[in-house]
């Protein structure tokens, strides 16, 4: 094999990087994410952005403590959840797509549906669905989703799975996460900054010790 000149190698890498960095990610008309609580006034509340996967155990485990913190801080803590379809959970994309369809049909059902996923996600893990067809997983998730979205939306929800715009929305979610360096959820950003230990849930005390000082500084 020919040995490559190190200088040539560096030039080649720069050249590749130029093309990779140059490609523009698709810009969505509306910023990605499901708003749990809107930031009231810019700068007066702390904003948490959470990248969560409905069929990922770590995301599920992180939710109760985050919810407890949301209750505690009330209007001083805002939350936006970005669904993140982890590539190594086979049903994550369908789960995230369900959330986008729910958001489109009845936006107040998104969080109830996310919680339903967290409660029942084990049935969507890779092993128990190994022999299931994609169609039956979609049918199963539709059934689950309708209990949150509303039975009246049955046909609309099924059509949502045939609607390419819901694939686009889910792809945007994925690319949005990638653009912020999200690899495996749960990943949290506080006022725009990533928390260390991505991929592991925070407990309530960790939320308190992260957010208390910020709110105290905000006041002074
Ligand atoms: C929308 O979802 C919420 C939350 O699950 C539910 O209470 C409400 O009944 C749904 N709306 C309709 C029209 O079904
Ligand atoms: C969705 O598309 C599939 C395959 O393209 C089709 O079999 C199915 O009937 C469609 N569903 C609805 C609700 O239109």
């Amino acid at each position: 094999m020919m040995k490559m000149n190190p200088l040539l190698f560096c030039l080649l890498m720069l050249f590749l990087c130029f093309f990779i960095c140059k490609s523009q990610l698709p810009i969505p008309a509306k910023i990605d994410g499901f708003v749990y609580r809107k930031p009231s006034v810019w700068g007066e509340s702390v904003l948490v952005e959470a990248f969560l996967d409905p069929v990922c155990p770590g995301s599920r485990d992180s939710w109760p403590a985050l919810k407890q913190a949301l209750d505690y801080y009330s209007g001083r803590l805002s939350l936006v959840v970005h669904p993140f379809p982890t590539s190594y959970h086979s049903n994550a994309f369908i789960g995230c797509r369900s959330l986008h369809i729910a958001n489109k049909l009845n936006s107040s059902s998104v969080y109830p549906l996310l919680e339903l996923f967290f409660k029942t996600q084990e049935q969507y893990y890779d092993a128990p669905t190994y022999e299931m067809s994609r169609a039956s997983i979609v049918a199963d998730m539709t059934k689950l989703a309708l209990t949150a979205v509303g039975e009246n939306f049955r046909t609309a929800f099924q059509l949502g799975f045939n609607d390419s715009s819901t694939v686009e929305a889910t792809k945007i979610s994925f690319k949005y996460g990638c653009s912020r360096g999200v690899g495996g959820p749960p990943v949290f950003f506080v006022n725009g900054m990533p928390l260390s230990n991505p991929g592991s849930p925070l407990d309530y005390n960790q939320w308190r010790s992260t957010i208390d000082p910020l709110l105290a500084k905000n006041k002074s």
Side-chain angles (χ1 to χ4, degrees):
M1 211 180 99
M2 216 173 76
K3 204 158 168 257
M4 197 184 249
N5 180 317
L7 183 66
L8 197 65
F9 182 75
C10 286
L11 279 174
L12 186 67
M13 281 298 143
L14 270 175
F15 182 74
L16 278 175
C17 181
F18 178 74
F19 276 99
I20 292 165
C21 304
K22 227 183 126 209
S23 70
Q24 171 65 59
L25 287 169
I27 302 175
K30 266 167 82 180
I31 192 161
D32 181 76
F34 306 132
V35 175
Y36 185 94
R37 191 183 286 143
K38 266 188 194 170
S40 51
V41 180
W42 192 252
E44 282 188 15
S45 67
V46 168
L47 172 65
V48 170
E49 292 160 278
F51 291 82
L52 303 176
D53 173 346
V55 300
C56 141
S59 298
R60 171 196 64 194
D61 296 343
S62 73
W63 185 242
L66 179 54
K67 245 192 127 176
Q68 198 185 343
L70 282 159
D71 285 346
Y72 173 78
Y73 290 111
S74 164
R76 292 169 303 156
L77 181 62
S78 306
L79 173 70
V80 176
V81 166
H82 298 280
F84 188 79
T86 317
S87 56
Y88 45 83
H89 293 145
S90 305
N91 298 313
F93 196 88
I94 312 176
C96 290
R97 196 176 175 192
S98 302
L99 290 169
H100 275 294
I101 299 170
N103 186 48
K104 207 171 166 186
L105 298 176
N106 172 2
S107 60
S108 43
S109 70
V110 171
Y111 282 91
L113 178 56
L114 183 63
E115 291 187 330
L116 266 177
F117 268 120
F118 287 156
K119 224 177 267 170
T120 63
Q121 61 170 216
E122 286 174 17
Q123 62 179 316
Y124 299 119
Y125 289 172
D126 290 355
T129 55
Y130 184 71
E131 302 222 339
M132 281 171 84
S133 70
R134 208 178 142 74
S136 58
I137 294 167
V138 165
D140 227 86
M141 283 195 187
T142 300
K143 207 169 132 198
L144 176 79
L146 288 176
T147 63
V149 181
E151 281 297 330
N152 291 339
F153 293 107
R154 177 171 296 275
T155 311
F157 203 94
Q158 285 165 343
L159 286 173
F161 268 110
N162 279 19
D163 176 357
S164 62
S165 77
T166 65
V167 174
E168 281 313 307
T170 315
K171 279 172 122 175
I172 290 288
S173 290
F174 175 70
K175 290 179 182 180
Y176 185 69
C178 292
S179 76
R180 304 209 43 199
V182 173
V187 174
F188 303 100
F189 288 72
V190 176
N191 284 347
M193 292 300 176
L195 293 188
S196 52
N197 297 331
S200 50
L202 265 75
D203 65 27
Y204 177 68
N205 291 331
Q206 289 170 305
W207 281 117
R208 289 293 306 274
S209 61
T210 306
I211 293 166
D212 278 354
L214 302 176
L215 288 173
K217 261 192 207 159
N218 246 350
K219 257 203 196 116
S220 57

